[in-house]
Each structure stands twice: as C-alpha cells, then as structure tokens.
Amino acid sequence: MSVNQQAHTGPPYGQPQPGYQGYQQPAYGGQSLPGVPQSQYGAYNGPMPGYQQPVPPQGYFPSLGFPSKGSPVSLNSDTSLAPNFIGSLRAPPTSGAPPPASGASHPSGHLAYSPFEHGDVQNGIPASAAPMQRPPASQPFLPGSAPTPVSQISTFQQYGPPPASVQQLRNHMAGMTIGSTAASAPPPAGLGYGVGPSSYPPTTGAPRPPAMPGPPLTGQTVAGPPSSQPNHVSSPPPPSSMAGLHPGTPMSGLHGPPPPTHPPQPGYQMQQNGSFGQMRGPQPNYGGAYPGAPNYGSPPGPPPPPKRLDPDSIPSPIQVIEDDRNNRGSEPFVTGVRGQVPPLVTTNFLVKDQGNASPRYIRCTSYNIPCTSDMAKQSQVPLAAVIKPLATLPPEETLPYLVDHGESGPVRCNRCKAYMCPFMQFIEGGRRFQCCFCSCVTEVPPHYFQHLDHTGKRVDFYDRPELSLGSYEFLATVDYCKNNKFPSPPAFIFMIDVSYNAVKSGLVRLICEELKSLLDYLPREGNMEESAIRVGFVTYNKVLHFYNVKSSLAQPQMMVVSDVADMFVPLLDGFLVNVNESRTVIASLLDQIPEMFADTRETETVFAPVIQAGLEALKAAECAGKLFIFHTSLPIAEAPGKLKNRDDRKLINTDKEKTLFQPQTSFYNNLAKDCVAQGCCVDLFLFPNQYLDVATLGVVPYQTGGSIYKYAYFQLETDQYRFLNDLRRDVQKEVGFDAVMRVRTSTGIRATDFFGAFYMSNTTDVEMAGLDCDKTITVEFKHDDKLSEDSGALLQCALLYTSCAGQRRLRIHNLSLNCCTQLADLYRNCETDTLINYLAKYAYRGVLNSPVKTVRDALINQCAQILACYRKNCASPSSAGQLILPECMKLLPVYLNCVLKSDVLQPGPEVTTDDRAYIRQLVTSMDVAETNVFFYPRLLPLTKADVDSDSLPAAIRNSEERLSKGDIYLLENGLNVFVWVGVSVQQGLIQNLFGVSSFSQISNALSTLPVLENPFSKKVRSIVDMIQGQRSRYMKLIIVKQEDKLEMLFKHFLVEDKSLSGGASYVDFLCHMHKEIRQLLS
Ligand SMILES: [Zn+2]
C-alpha cells in the first residue's frame, strides 16, 4: 500500500543559488516511482521550482488589489542604500560581472541554472538586434504568400497520393457556390458581411443575447446564417454524399456507422489513405450530423450532384504539428524580438529569455495587433493572452530570478504603478525613466541610479534581470502584505469524508496510508531542511471531527462538532502542526482513523461546514493555506449548503439547460468569497457513485483557484493508482497563496475580460486564494485608443503571491507585441491553438447564461467572420467557390468543430451532468497545450513504434478510417488514455503486450498494462509513462477491443468523424464553414 518507498533525496539539480531562487526537486516529482511516469519533459513531472530564501515568520492581512500605496518610489528614504548594497544580498551586482547567483555564491557544478552562463544569448537583450527567428511580422504582405487555399494543401499531406487534383477541388468547392458569381463577388469595402462597416449591428440574425458576456461576439448574429440570404436555398449537396459515401468500399472489418441513408453516389474515386490502407467509413445521415446548424442538414431543393471532399486534401492537424516540429524544434526560441510567434505547443523547444516572457508563461491569439478597434472588429479575431504565471519550466531553462530593490520595494512608475521592466526608457543621464505603459516620467530612486552608456542604456543593463529579461520576481516589502504584516507560512488541512461509502470502498484507509508518507513531501523552498507548511486533520460525515496532534501528546485527541449550523474550530493549539515535530502522533492518528469508522452506518454527509471549518482554522492561525477535501456524495444532511438532487437530463437542449451548469444555491459563492479573502484555497477530490452536483460543489474550489478531481465509481483495485498519483502531484506542486494578478497594458489597449479559476471583486484584479503551476488565466484585451506600429503594444502581468515558505513575492512577466495597419499582418501572426483555448473558454462560460445552441451558433458565426474577413481582404483573387484559409489558421475549422462537439456543448447520451460541469470547470483553467490535446486527442499507432528508439511513433489523424484492424493504437486527451486493439492484430503482439494468447482473452478491465519482459511491452509501457508524465493529471487507462462495447466510448474521441451525439465530421463541417463564409461574403 505504501507506494512511497523512496527516501527523500537532495535536489538533483544541485543547490539553490544563494541570492536567487533555488530549484528544489520534490522526490515524487522527479524520481520514478514504481510505474510513475517520468517526464521526458520537465514541465509537468519534472522538478518544481522552489525558493530558497529563508523567510521570517510573518503575519497576514486582508487586502483587495495591489497595494499601490505601498510602493511609492521614495526619493529620500533610501539614500543610505548605496547602489552597491544591491549586490550584496539578492539583487544583481551593479558591475558588469555576472550577478551574484552565478557569481561567488553560486555553487560550482550547478551552473545550468544561471541564465547568465549561457553567454550573451541568454543574458538579456543584446546590444544589437537579436537574430530574427522568422520574417518580421511587419513586413509587407505579399499576396499569395500567406493564404492556404484548400486546394493546395494536398502538397503537405503525408497520407496517400495527392488525390483530388486542384481542379477537382475547385470543382467541388464550385459545386458549393451559391447563386451567381455576381452574387458571390466580394461586396464593396465597408459593407462588411451584410452588416455595418465597423460596428456591425446585427442586421439579420437575432441580437446577441445579453447573457453572453464578453465583447468578441459584438454585433454578430447568433441565430445562424442570416435569413436575408435567399441564395442559400439553392445550396450545397447533402454533405453525406460529400463526406464519405464510398460505393463498394470494403469496411475492412471496422464497425463503422450504419449504412448511409442515401444510396451510394458516384463521386470521386475512393482513395487509399496512405500507410493504413483503410477506407473512409460512411458518414450517414447528414441531416442529423449537425443539429446545431440551421439550414445545414436539410437544404431545400434538389441537391446538386454530390461530390466528395477528399479528407486527405483538407488541412491536417498532424501535418501542421509535424511541420512545426521540423521547422522550429531544433533552434531555441529567443525572445528578444517583438511580436514573434512562438513554435506550437506541440513542438519541443527551448526558450531563451531576452526580454520577453517565455511562451510557457504567456501565449497570445495574435502577436500583431490591429492598430484600431475598427480593424479589430472587422477581423473578429479576439485579442487574448493565455497566462500561466507559475508555469513549470524544463530543467534546461532558467527560473525567474528574484530581485530585491530594498526597503522601498520594487521600482515602479509613479502613475500607473507598472514595475521596472526592459521597456522602460531611462532619460536625463539615467536620473529619470519614462514609463513604457503610460509615458509618465518618474525619478529614479537614488539607490537605483546608474549611468547610461552611449546608446542610452544603463551600464548595469545585463546585470539586472528586470532590465534585460522578460520574466523575473521581486521580493515584496511589508507594504504588499495584508495588514502590513509579513505572512505566516501556509497550512494544509486534510479533510476526509468517513461516511459509509468512503469507508466501504477502502478509500479512507487508502488516504490515511498515503498521507503517512506523503506528508514528508510537502513543498519546500530551496535548500530548506523541511517544509514550512503546517498540517491539520478533519474527518466528517454529518458531523465534524477535529484532531489535536500536538507533539507533546501520546495519542491524538478527537473533538466532535455536531452543531454544523455555526461552524467553529474547537481547538487552536495542536490543530495545525509541524509534520516532523508531531510525526508519531500523526502516524497514530492515520492508523486509527480507518479503524474508528470501520463500522460506520452513516451515509449522509455535509459539505459547506467542512469548508467553513477549514476556513475558520486558517483564520485562527492567521495564515493562508489549502484544504484537501475527499468527498463522496451529495451533501443532503441538514446543514448550511445542503443540496438536493436536481439533475434532469430532460433539460438538455432546452432554454433551461444552463441551470445544469449553475450552482443550485448562492451559498457557495459567498463562502468562496470569504475563502479568497483569507487565502483559503480548496482542492476537491470527488468519488461519486451518483450525481453529487459538481456544478455546486465546484464553486468554492473554482473560485479559490483550486482543483477538482473526479473518480466516478471509485474502485480500489483499478482507480487507486490514478488517484494516488493525482494526490501526490497535487500536494507537492508549486503553489502560491493569497495571490492577486493584474495585467497592465500600454496605452491603446486594456484587459477587459478574464477566464479561469479565480475571484474578482473589481474589474482589474484577479484574486486567487491559491495559484498553482498548472493554472492558467486567459485575459482578453480591447482597444480604448489607437495603437501605433512604431511603439507596438506591451503587456505586463504582475502576480503578487505568498510562497510556500511564507515569503511575499511579485512575479512579473512582460511581453511586447507588434501592431499593424494591414489585416494581412494580423492574419499572418495568429496562433490558432491559443485562439481555440480562448474560444472554448468563452463558449464554456457562455453556457452558464445562454442556451447551448446559441453558444454554438455564436462560435460558428465568429469563426466564419474571421475567415470571411481574411478571404475578402487578404487572399489573392480567386474563384469565389474556393475556400481559402489563412496559413496560420488553417486548422481553425477542424479545431472549432472539436470544441462544438465537446461534451459541454453537445453531450452524448453517456455523458452525465456532473461530467459536463466538471469538464467545463476544468477547461476554464487549461493552458494551450492542454486544450490542444483535449479537443484534438493524440492518436499513435503503437505497432509502428520503433522499439529501439526513444521516439514516439508518428501521430495519425483522429478518424476511424486511419485505423487498421491489424494494429494497436494509443489515444490520449489529457484525461483518458485508450489502447485500442484491432481484431486482426497478430497473436504474437497480443501475447507480448497483454500476456494472453488471443484477442478474445484480452481483458478490458485492465487499468494498467501488464509488466512483461519483451521489447514491445517495454516500449508501449514507456510510451504510456512518457505521455502520463507530460500531463498534469494521471490519465485513466482504458483498453478497448475493436467491436467491443467500449469502442463506442473510444469513437467519441475520433473527432474528425461524425459523432454519435450528432457532431459533424471534419469534412462536413468544413463544407458548412465554407457555406457560412460565402454567405457572409455575398
Ligand atoms: Zn506608467
């Protein structure tokens, strides 16, 4: 049972750098446990950043927002701080030598952690312009260079011969032409898409529902294609015929969907799909394929002769990913140039910080922003940044340095309070600086003064992270702390449901066993001997049990609170303790808990009082912290926050569907607010056997920056491994407490909307009781003035937080973007993965207030407008029937379709209300890599894996036609990992992988692959482990045999195919998007 057998070893990356951050390696994170995957890439499973500054015990206070009052740039108070003082402790020296981190105090042998050891490349912005990684974004647009006509894409395909010729595709697309050519000619400039030129009043469709927050959909029609387009009636052939009717196509043993409802039509030649030789399955019943799209399924009038769109000729995610890997994976991404689009999230690349934040911290939907708001509205491209302030970095990259500006705190602009950064302009010989955000001129504090060189740059430029790097940290002064008191180290409180189900399933015993060892791996800073975090324990069913585990006690003491209506903590001394001091008492408690409740008959639970108890305990201890709550059932016991079962699947596809996503009482919203004020973050582990209302129980975790994990029908044998892995990672991961984030922007744009797990009490400050290394905040920007191409646009994200040792810090990330007056420049510098991250979050928030269909239609409409704007303004003249996509957005249709088909927006019959609420909250905090694989899962042919190489087999597209019944595949989406076995797989392979002699003997009850001593088994297990290590949650392994019942579940993730819940196939959806675009253009 005790999985944690390994002794805690020292940080493998060497000692932390005195004066700067260390890099502590928690044992769980970086070492292989039995079967615990080790990441090839440190970002997820690798070392977690720690900090080594010893921290004084500190107090606390409630504050909302940044203490702007607290950081005046004093001209007088710090005169005693001569410049060289700065070099003595944490700040870099003022000489040209490397900063202290890599200087005398830096232990030799661990140089890899200093960015200053990589020479000038990583040492801030070089005097000369950094090498350009790609053509400057501002370079004039060359017609024809950027657009990707679908008809040319086949040259990039890896599967099969270049099938449908260019002419064939043109013919096909021409077949979709609506009305006359005159009607499809681009409308005069300024007319837009039949709506107003810049403000886009919705002249056709229904007005945007007020419930859909956020501006990007401004003015768009939400009710589907404009009804004023008479021509659409004569439109497209039934997609079923286009999408996959293959007369006489053998199905190769795959169980495809039922036969098409239309008789087979002669169309294009059916085609082989490259190495897998499978035919595309039929896509029957087009009408049902896309219920969300009016006018789509049942085109009036006789359909024209059907033609088939070749799946190999449409943009392939696999090819785009592969091309980016090949083109950009070998060179480091150097951040010295403004507005550079980073490599895709699926590309492995190193980042060298030369003045802009790494894309691991910030990714943008576009790196070239329209200069005017009219232009932005015309394009409909949302301007958003996906920010992961505490992202884990791979070991090869340097953590942000910690900078100490002394007693007066970080140097900031007097007016807008922006923090010192590489874009500030020093003037008057260095005595003042002009703010890059608001242009205000501020005196340089005497202790910060430095001379300028002949280029106007401070001579200590390279020695100061805040002048030369995109990301760094400041040590915060007491002014940045609640009540002007330094905070105490945070506390963790473990709160275990001991009702009948929890005990009977073995969960209680499992948790207690695990905690005995896990408590030795609480987050620590740098080289600290032990964690500063104190721990406490509560168990509960209808009542709460508190435990006194004071070190002086021989045995733990239990105190029961049965009055849950007004929760209080019955003991202060002895509740929160140091693990080492109370080790024996804690061990005794964890031994006793499973015994104490072994015979319980209590089935009812409370929930809100549990959170209240944790909150009160943290209040009493005057610290921030995290509650780890392990909960099994709907809290129906009489208590505040009591819930009833209000699940009702009949509400799906009605106007009341939104209520399924809303909490059933506002009680938890108020509780969440109190928790945030105290810095009480809640992580919730759910083990439901039936509906327990995730939408309501999730409110507090969600708004406090916490996480929710869900293990439905938890079974000890099959699920404990996954749960324990999640728990270990959750307890150990880097987390900041009592966090406030603000994003400042240069004049012309401002942050207007925010998505993620947090609380906001005003319009600018994102508050999180806890923020861990996996959590992402998506921020949308709007114009409030004109931007200029010369100065570009700047973002500064400042996160104020308390470290795991109680140190108050500011983490700063800066990013500079280009600005453009040509739409083509915008479309050449977009990042579709980030765009999808934003759109998914926007839509997933929309379902709280609007019917799901409205949300889906709005998404389609916005994307059609984005693509139509490109077609009209940027693409070179071509046949009106041709679908032309911007090169860097050519995957927008396929990814958008995946979002539309997702469980939240289009649930299949097997998806529960709790699943949907859970996914909705999960996606809202996902980073770009996570949304990418979540919406378009990775599908790997395991039988093609090279057992002698470390590499993964090349991924294939998510379509049943790509599967061969003679092969075994792996599919993962960040939550589940499937191993699919074809019916004709060689017996030898089955024997090697599953240890059984035939296909029929493979058990799909397996939750792990058997450990067998042969190269194929080893290779497959190492692939699974590697992939597990790249994800922030341990994925559930599901074995799927072809033609087995479970295959339905698996097929749900073959997202290029028509889905059982009615989602369109990629081919069909592309045709639909094309039609929408043409309607907008005509
Ligand atoms: Zn300013």
Side-chain angles (χ1 to χ4, degrees), residues 414-580:
N414 269 350
R415 184 200 287 161
C416 74
K417 303 296 176 192
Y419 295 85
M420 181 51 63
C421 74
F423 310 119
M424 297 289 187
Q425 195 71 42
F426 286 87
I427 54 175
E428 296 176 23
R431 288 189 302 276
R432 308 169 87 191
F433 68 92
Q434 182 164 30
C435 177
C436 51
F437 296 94
C438 74
S439 301
C440 174
V441 173
T442 300
E443 300 276 342
V444 173
H447 70 87
Y448 196 66
F449 174 81
Q450 186 54 269
H451 293 285
L452 308 183
D453 67 11
H454 66 284
T455 66
K457 193 188 295 184
R458 279 173 65 121
V459 299
D460 60 353
F461 179 83
Y462 293 112
D463 306 326
R464 292 192 175 271
E466 77 276 19
L467 297 182
S468 52
L469 298 176
S471 300
Y472 43 87
E473 294 203 323
F474 287 115
L475 195 61
T477 58
V478 74
D479 296 324
Y480 293 78
C481 304
K482 283 179 182 172
N483 299 335
N484 275 13
K485 275 170 64 185
F486 281 114
S488 306
F492 283 0
I493 303 178
F494 298 91
M495 316 184 88
I496 307 167
D497 177 348
V498 289
S499 66
Y500 178 76
N501 279 337
V503 173
K504 188 173 151 243
S505 65
L507 182 64
V508 173
R509 187 172 296 277
L510 181 69
I511 294 168
C512 290
E513 278 301 316
E514 177 63 21
L515 286 182
K516 278 196 246 172
S517 46
L518 186 54
L519 293 178
D520 284 333
Y521 299 94
L522 301 178
R524 291 179 300 160
E525 273 194 313
N527 56 358
M528 286 177 72
E529 286 277 311
E530 61 179 40
S531 173
I533 293 171
R534 288 169 295 163
V535 298
F537 303 89
V538 170
T539 57
Y540 67 94
N541 37 47
K542 270 165 74 173
V543 299
L544 276 77
H545 324 103
F546 293 81
Y547 297 94
N548 186 341
V549 282
K550 202 174 173 176
S551 58
S552 55
L553 294 174
Q555 283 293 318
Q557 294 170 347
M558 179 204 258
M559 260 153 275
V560 180
V561 174
S562 50
D563 177 12
V564 292
D566 188 15
M567 187 47 61
F568 67 102
V569 179
L571 76 164
L572 295 181
D573 189 30
F575 179 67
L576 293 176
V577 297
N578 173 292
V579 173
N580 278 338

Side-chain angles (χ1 to χ4, degrees), residues 736-758:
F737 294 94
D738 220 350
V740 186
M741 187 185 96
R742 181 179 285 190
V743 179
R744 289 181 174 80
T745 47
S746 51
T747 310
I749 54 166
R750 65 192 167 85
T752 54
D753 208 353
F754 303 84
F755 304 82
F758 53 71

Side-chain angles (χ1 to χ4, degrees), residues 699-1005:
V699 166
V700 178
Y702 184 66
Q703 294 194 20
T704 59
S707 303
I708 306 176
Y709 300 83
K710 184 162 154 287
Y711 311 88
Y713 307 104
F714 178 82
Q715 302 240 330
L716 204 59
E717 306 80 59
T718 51
D719 297 319
Q720 65 164 305
Y721 195 64
R722 183 162 60 103
F723 160 58
L724 291 179
N725 272 284
D726 286 342
L727 175 61
R728 288 167 194 162
R729 193 174 187 286
D730 195 68
V731 166
Q732 294 180 77
K733 69 182 167 187
E734 190 197 352
V735 56
F737 294 94
D738 220 350
V740 186
M741 187 185 96
R742 181 179 285 190
V743 179
R744 289 181 174 80
T745 47
S746 51
T747 310
I749 54 166
R750 65 192 167 85
T752 54
D753 208 353
F754 303 84
F755 304 82
F758 53 71
Y759 176 81
M760 289 185 79
S761 57
N762 58 40
T763 55
T764 52
D765 294 328
V766 175
E767 298 175 47
M768 291 153 291
L771 173 69
D772 65 51
C773 56
D774 298 323
K775 292 289 186 305
T776 305
I777 298 110
T778 294
V779 182
E780 190 186 5
F781 302 95
K782 284 272 189 277
H783 287 77
D784 56 9
D785 204 347
K786 276 191 177 149
L787 297 165
S788 101
E789 282 182 294
D790 286 345
S791 43
L794 301 175
L795 313 179
Q796 183 177 78
C797 163
L799 176 81
L800 175 65
Y801 72 100
T802 301
S803 76
C804 66
Q807 192 175 55
R808 201 71 174 148
R809 293 193 179 150
L810 283 147
R811 181 170 288 199
I812 312 293
H813 297 298
N814 301 287
L815 188 63
S816 60
L817 302 170
N818 284 325
C819 296
C820 59
T821 53
Q822 299 298 313
L823 280 165
D825 287 332
L826 164 69
Y827 283 99
R828 293 178 63 201
N829 291 281
C830 283
E831 230 255 305
T832 298
D833 293 329
T834 307
L835 195 56
I836 287 292
N837 180 283
Y838 165 85
L839 290 172
K841 290 174 181 177
Y842 184 80
Y844 280 20
R845 186 175 67 184
V847 300
L848 284 173
N849 300 306
S850 305
V852 170
K853 181 183 179 308
T854 309
V855 172
R856 280 204 307 260
D857 290 348
L859 266 190
I860 294 171
N861 189 284
Q862 181 171 10
C863 289
Q865 290 202 37
I866 291 172
L867 297 174
C869 176
Y870 173 80
R871 178 74 168 78
K872 185 180 146 204
N873 297 287
C874 307
S876 48
S878 59
S879 155
Q882 205 175 14
L883 173 61
I884 302 182
L885 303 170
E887 176 64 23
C888 62
M889 280 192 195
K890 64 186 180 187
L891 298 181
L892 185 59
V894 60
Y895 286 163
L896 173 67
N897 190 35
C898 297
V899 174
L900 293 167
K901 294 160 71 163
S902 62
D903 289 338
V904 171
L905 296 183
Q906 194 162 12
E910 77 291 348
V911 180
T912 66
T913 301
D914 274 345
D915 284 337
R916 296 177 77 199
Y918 174 64
I919 297 289
R920 197 191 72 77
Q921 295 197 355
L922 213 52
V923 166
T924 306
S925 301
M926 280 186 181
D927 68 13
V928 179
E930 288 172 318
T931 49
N932 176 268
V933 78
F934 179 76
F935 289 111
Y936 193 94
R938 179 155 56 161
L939 180 57
L940 304 173
L942 293 176
T943 24
K944 311 280 186 216
D946 178 0
V947 293
D948 297 321
S949 135
D950 286 341
S951 62
L952 294 172
I956 61 171
R957 292 170 64 172
N958 284 328
S959 173
E960 188 170 340
E961 76 172 36
R962 309 285 171 180
L963 302 177
S964 156
K965 61 181 178 181
D967 286 318
I968 301 173
Y969 299 85
L970 178 148
L971 182 145
E972 62 113 2
N973 73 341
L975 294 183
N976 296 300
V977 53
F978 293 91
V979 174
W980 182 92
V981 189
V983 285
S984 306
V985 172
Q986 287 174 18
Q987 193 205 326
L989 286 175
I990 290 177
Q991 182 72 50
N992 282 343
L993 190 56
F994 298 102
V996 295
S997 56
S998 72
F999 179 80
S1000 62
Q1001 288 175 291
I1002 301 171
S1003 162
N1004 51 21

Side-chain angles (χ1 to χ4, degrees), residues 117-441:
E117 286 148 8
H118 296 274
D120 283 342
V121 177
Q122 204 165 350
N123 206 2
I125 302 167
S128 58
M132 303 282 285
Q133 297 295 304
R134 52 167 51 206
S138 55
Q139 134 184 341
F141 171 68
L142 301 173
S145 63
T148 303
V150 164
S151 53
Q152 291 166 9
I153 290 168
S154 57
T155 56
F156 297 104
Q157 297 299 316
Q158 62 176 352
Y159 301 110
S165 69
V166 168
Q167 194 51 49
Q168 273 177 310
L169 275 155
R170 288 215 173 105
N171 287 345
H172 162 70
M173 288 305 187
M176 299 176 65
T177 301
I178 300 161
S180 66
T181 48
S184 60
L191 271 183
Y193 317 118
V195 291
S198 58
S199 60
Y200 285 86
T203 55
T204 50
R208 174 168 163 250
M212 287 282 291
L217 300 183
T218 301
Q220 72 179 39
T221 61
V222 291
S227 55
S228 63
Q229 305 288 337
N231 286 334
H232 76 269
V233 295
S234 64
S235 75
S240 56
S241 54
M242 293 192 296
L245 285 186
H246 298 275
T249 300
M251 289 309 293
S252 307
L254 283 183
H255 270 212
T261 52
H262 298 282
Q265 302 283 345
Y268 292 117
Q269 293 298 307
M270 60 192 192
Q271 63 196 19
Q272 301 291 324
N273 72 19
S275 55
F276 300 102
Q278 290 295 310
M279 302 304 170
R280 186 175 175 79
Q283 300 274 330
N285 193 7
Y286 189 72
Y290 204 72
N295 304 324
Y296 182 49
S298 52
K307 291 177 182 157
R308 180 174 167 270
L309 188 55
D310 173 9
D312 279 347
S313 69
I314 57 181
S316 159
I318 304 302
Q319 193 63 50
V320 170
I321 288 169
E322 198 62 32
D323 289 348
D324 194 73
R325 254 184 212 145
N326 293 335
N327 296 334
R328 307 199 64 186
S330 51
E331 293 286 314
F333 180 68
V334 182
T335 71
V337 178
R338 186 176 88 188
Q340 280 189 107
V341 183
L344 298 180
V345 285
T346 41
T347 297
N348 244 328
F349 61 99
L350 281 183
V351 181
K352 290 188 175 170
D353 185 342
Q354 286 195 349
N356 283 288
S358 162
R360 302 190 206 286
Y361 295 123
I362 308 182
R363 279 187 175 262
C364 294
T365 52
S366 177
Y367 290 79
N368 203 329
I369 299 181
C371 277
T372 66
S373 117
D374 281 356
M375 219 176 127
K377 279 180 191 156
Q378 189 186 358
S379 74
Q380 283 289 314
V381 175
L383 306 175
V386 179
I387 307 176
K388 198 177 185 182
L390 298 180
T392 311
L393 303 183
E396 299 84 1
E397 293 178 14
T398 312
L399 285 166
Y401 283 82
L402 184 58
V403 177
D404 185 356
H405 279 179
E407 287 171 16
S408 58
V411 175
R412 304 172 74 174
C413 166
N414 269 350
R415 184 200 287 161
C416 74
K417 303 296 176 192
Y419 295 85
M420 181 51 63
C421 74
F423 310 119
M424 297 289 187
Q425 195 71 42
F426 286 87
I427 54 175
E428 296 176 23
R431 288 189 302 276
R432 308 169 87 191
F433 68 92
Q434 182 164 30
C435 177
C436 51
F437 296 94
C438 74
S439 301
C440 174
V441 173

